[in-house]
Amino acid sequence: MSRKLIDLVPGGHVEFLLASAREDWDAAVNHRFVDELFDGSLDDGVLAGYLVQDYQFFDAFLSMLGGCVAYADRVDSKLTFAAQLGMLANDEDGYFQKAFAELGVSEADQQDPPLTEVTKAFRAMMYDAANSQSYQDLLVMLVVAEWLYLDWGERGSTDNDPAPLPERYVHAGWVELHRGREFQKWCQFLVNELERVFPEGDESFADALTLRFQKAVALERGFFDVAYN
């Protein structure tokens, strides 16, 4: 990485989680898809298929944020998640609608496309976390989904000089959603929360969370892979 994006507690729980999934994490961050997104060479068909699949997570992602509003143990944390819900409705959904129009994606493909096996598995994990009533399970999914995207979104950036954006909106808009100070602040909040509430003295729960983290990172890598299939 060109600069440090997230502060971790040395020897802490989140540092261990990241180390346990480092190979898949780095493969996703440095994926061909990301390379081609940044240099503007990403095929429209590949991007359209990727975005159609990614849009199928929108409901589950909103459900996870709503779950955090319900099950976070602090009011200030609940308010942070509630604010993020508003951002998604305005910024992220707005990008999808503009991108779908530019790429010629039909309404049917937006709303009810055939799902890849990776999409099915990742969406099932998200709904499982949303239904778990477990703040820790929700945080693991959110940390993976957001922090990994921050890592690739900030590729090539320095503290004083963000990496150049590609020319076309469909490429640049997706990068911009996943970088910048506000998104970095959001990801740091998620990491801090997971570190704070990670179970102490409950080895079976900690192991289950670690496995969830590893599976989610592997699916993120697979999600980029399957875009070319």
Side-chain angles (χ1 to χ4, degrees):
M1 299 295 294
S2 300
R3 65 187 180 93
K4 186 176 182 180
L5 297 169
I6 297 296
D7 291 320
L8 299 177
V9 175
H13 300 295
V14 180
E15 186 177 75
F16 169 79
L17 291 175
L18 179 60
S20 76
R22 190 86 236 190
E23 181 178 350
D24 283 331
W25 187 286
D26 289 345
V29 169
N30 297 294
H31 200 278
R32 169 191 173 188
F33 181 96
V34 181
D35 294 341
E36 294 176 355
L37 182 69
F38 269 98
D39 67 25
S41 67
L42 187 61
D43 179 81
D44 278 3
V46 171
L47 179 58
Y50 166 89
L51 291 176
V52 163
Q53 295 294 310
D54 193 274
Y55 196 56
Q56 308 316 303
F57 299 134
F58 203 67
D59 179 79
F61 198 85
L62 292 175
S63 295
M64 288 200 301
L65 290 178
C68 288
V69 174
Y71 299 115
D73 59 338
R74 294 180 176 177
V75 172
D76 58 339
S77 299
K78 291 174 183 283
L79 290 172
T80 300
F81 287 110
Q84 193 68 14
L85 277 166
M87 187 286 294
L88 280 177
N90 294 318
D91 296 346
E92 187 151 337
D93 194 54
Y95 166 80
F96 275 110
Q97 298 312 314
K98 291 179 182 178
F100 286 152
E102 182 172 333
L103 295 169
V105 177
S106 71
E107 184 69 19
D109 281 341
Q110 294 176 41
Q111 300 301 327
D112 191 27
L115 300 182
T116 70
E117 293 304 312
V118 173
T119 300
K120 291 177 184 177
F122 205 0
R123 194 165 71 166
M125 283 191 71
M126 294 169 78
Y127 278 124
D128 178 71
N131 294 327
S132 69
Q133 301 185 15
S134 163
Y135 189 39
Q136 292 91 337
D137 281 288
L138 287 159
L139 283 169
V140 165
M141 297 301 297
L142 289 169
V143 164
V144 172
E146 300 287 61
W147 181 18
L148 191 150
Y149 271 52
L150 173 71
D151 260 10
W152 71 250
E154 289 284 5
R155 268 182 34 181
S157 295
T158 65
D159 287 330
N160 300 314
D161 188 18
L165 287 169
E167 292 183 5
R168 290 180 62 195
Y169 171 76
V170 289
H171 302 145
W174 194 237
V175 175
E176 284 189 300
L177 280 171
H178 300 106
R179 77 178 192 181
R181 295 299 182 190
E182 288 305 310
F183 190 59
Q184 182 180 2
K185 182 180 177 181
W186 162 243
C187 293
Q188 184 70 65
F189 162 77
L190 292 173
V191 167
N192 290 349
E193 285 290 279
L194 182 56
E195 188 70 46
R196 180 178 68 81
V197 302
F198 202 86
E200 298 282 357
D202 188 340
E203 187 173 340
S204 63
F205 190 17
D207 287 346
L209 292 174
T210 301
L211 183 59
R212 178 182 286 277
F213 188 95
Q214 293 167 343
K215 287 183 175 179
V217 174
L219 286 170
E220 289 283 14
R221 178 183 183 177
F223 194 69
F224 283 136
D225 289 341
V226 80
Y228 291 90
N229 295 332

